[in-house]
């Protein structure tokens, strides 16, 4: 009996405006572009997809279920630029068929650089989700499904989570199936749900590819693939960006029609059902221990960190950013802290990626820069101004206290 577990990542960053070494103001983010993109994605994806999911939940009498992780930076933008989207997410929350997961509020790489900052962002995200949707997340997904054994140590120490989502990369499975639940050698309590990347990517990336041997992908065909897991797995985890629907895969590809028919096709088999991540964790035992000493992610063909740490530009920018942490926090200035945290969003470093091979088109998507080098220069110009701000504030604080 495979339980299908749909999880959608919902995220848009605060993009930086063009910022030069001659700029002196503290307005780092491009409000016009951020509003335009947020409205565009809301109309093409979030609104029609949310309405479709609501319809499917009602149509199938609550038997269709999904999970979302909505970043804090997007929640802020939706509240300001597309409040009608927030009302549809609220409606989804009230169905009882939707689970909201926790992650870093700023969709950051803080796990790799600062465990204190990492935890602070998670708690901020938990509080926001609970305030907005009335549920306290019990399952965690790290930015871009970044994971290693060390992550389990941190997450378990927080005492609030039952499970973690990550990538079902072949290199960590060693011939085993992603369609089972695992635990880490560091904890028998925290359960690991692994993305079935083949089936997930059939929808997220290959759906509209006319050169794909399986095109066109119809709901009954995909359901047949899911049915083959019967007897060889407990769960089929379909993890993908929510923007798959209407943005990555445009409406005219048939992606919404595919999704409209998929739950019914899957549930034609009497052994199939849909579960949220928490329900999967509660329903099935872990079958084995998964040892992941080296960090993985769900990005690109390598499933590693090279999308954000693959060149010296990225490494330099990240090192300088996290070098500021202690002094930024010592200022006690909430505006400086918020700007510093918005700069942590992983997209800023993704735009600096110089990989233009198999994954080139992915790295160009919604990229506001002509080149990775332009991205790096712009980011470092902003960083230079932020450094001046926090140093001036620290100096002022010292003068007031007479230190």
């Amino acid at each position: 009996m495979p339980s299908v577990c749909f999880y959608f990542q919902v995220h848009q960053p605060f993009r930086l405006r063009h910022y030069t070494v001659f700029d002196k103001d503290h307005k780092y983010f491009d409000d016009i572009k951020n509003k335009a993109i947020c409205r565009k994605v809301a109309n093409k994806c979030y609104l029609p997809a949310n309405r479709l999911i609501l319809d499917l939940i009602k149509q199938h009498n609550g038997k269709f279920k999904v999970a979302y992780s909505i970043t804090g930076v997007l929640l802020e933008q939706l509240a300001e630029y597309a409040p009608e989207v927030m009302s549809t997410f609220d409606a989804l929350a009230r169905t009882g068929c939707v689970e909201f997961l926790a992650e870093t509020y700023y969709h950051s790489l803080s796990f790799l650089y600062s465990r204190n900052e990492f935890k602070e962002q998670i708690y901020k995200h938990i509080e926001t989700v609970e305030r907005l949707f009335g549920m306290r997340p019990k399952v965690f997904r790290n930015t871009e499904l970044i994971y290693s054994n060390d992550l389990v140590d941190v997450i378990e120490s927080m005492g609030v989570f039952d499970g973690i989502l990550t990538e079902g990369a072949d290199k960590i499975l060693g011939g085993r199936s992603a369609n089972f639940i695992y635990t880490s050698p560091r904890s028998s309590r925290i359960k690991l749900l692994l993305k079935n990347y083949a089936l997930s990517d059939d929808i997220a990336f290959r759906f509209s590819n006319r050169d794909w041997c399986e095109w066109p992908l119809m709901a009954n065909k995909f359901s047949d693939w899911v049915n083959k897991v019967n007897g060889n797995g407990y769960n089929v985890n379909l993890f993908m960006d929510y923007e798959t629907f209407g943005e990555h895969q445009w409406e005219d590809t048939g992606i919404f029609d595919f999704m409209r028919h998929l739950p019914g096709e899957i549930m034609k088999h009497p052994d199939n059902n849909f579960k949220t991540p928490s329900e999967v964790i509660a329903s099935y035992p872990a079958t084995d221990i998964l040892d992941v000493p080296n960090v993985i992610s769900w990005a690109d063909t390598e499933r590693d960190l090279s999308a954000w740490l693959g060149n010296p530009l990225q490494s330099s920018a990240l090192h300088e950013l996290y070098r500021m942490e202690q002094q930024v926090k010592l200022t006690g200035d909430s505006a400086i802290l918020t700007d510093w945290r918005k700069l942590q969003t992983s997209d800023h470093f993704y735009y600096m990626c110089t990989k233009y091979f198999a994954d080139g088109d992915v790295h160009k998507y919604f990229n506001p820069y002509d080149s990775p080098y332009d991205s790096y220069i712009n980011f470092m110009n902003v960083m230079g101004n932020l450094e001046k701000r926090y140093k001036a504030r620290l100096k002022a604080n010292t003068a007031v206290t007479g230190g």
Side-chain angles (χ1 to χ4, degrees), residues 78-175:
L78 291 176
E80 184 172 358
Y81 303 137
E84 66 274 31
V85 175
M86 293 297 293
S87 67
T88 59
F89 275 120
D90 181 60
L92 284 164
R94 286 186 273 108
T95 65
C97 298
V98 171
E99 180 174 9
F100 290 89
L101 311 185
E103 66 165 89
T104 59
Y105 186 97
Y106 295 91
H107 200 66
S108 73
L109 303 176
S110 53
F111 167 68
L112 304 173
Y113 289 91
S114 171
R115 300 296 164 82
N116 287 335
E117 175 65 14
F118 178 62
K119 287 196 238 184
E120 287 176 21
Q121 289 194 25
I122 295 171
Y123 284 126
K124 182 176 174 66
H125 191 256
I126 289 173
E127 291 165 3
T128 302
V129 170
E130 189 169 24
R131 173 173 53 81
L132 292 174
F133 304 118
M135 63 179 71
R136 192 167 180 83
K138 300 298 291 182
V139 175
F140 179 74
R141 67 88 64 191
N142 199 10
T143 304
E144 306 298 331
L145 295 190
I146 289 172
Y147 176 83
S148 71
N149 292 338
D150 291 343
L151 178 66
V152 178
D153 293 339
V154 181
I155 294 304
E156 184 164 45
S157 73
M158 297 178 72
V160 295
F161 297 113
D162 299 322
I164 299 173
L165 307 189
T166 190
E167 175 69 27
D170 294 332
K171 60 187 177 184
I172 66 170
L173 282 165

Side-chain angles (χ1 to χ4, degrees), residues 10 95 120 135 137 166 170 255 341 343 377 391:
V10 196
T95 65
E120 287 176 21
M135 63 179 71
T166 190
D170 294 332
I255 190 67
R341 283 179 161 165
L343 291 175
I377 292 169
K391 286 184 175 179

Side-chain angles (χ1 to χ4, degrees), residues 384-401:
N385 183 271
L386 183 65
E387 185 169 25
K388 291 176 183 177
R389 281 174 67 194
Y390 78 68
K391 286 184 175 179
R393 184 55 190 264
L394 287 172
K395 185 176 180 180
N397 289 350
T398 301
V400 169
T401 60

Side-chain angles (χ1 to χ4, degrees), residues 197-218 221-222 225 249 255 258:
Y197 73 81
L199 291 179
S200 298
D201 292 355
D202 286 340
I203 300 173
F205 297 113
R206 290 182 280 272
F207 183 83
S208 60
N209 182 1
R210 290 173 177 256
D211 294 326
W212 181 34
C213 63
E214 299 292 351
W215 186 89
L217 179 59
M218 308 301 288
K221 181 192 291 186
F222 192 88
W225 295 345
Q249 308 292 341
I255 190 67
F258 168 83

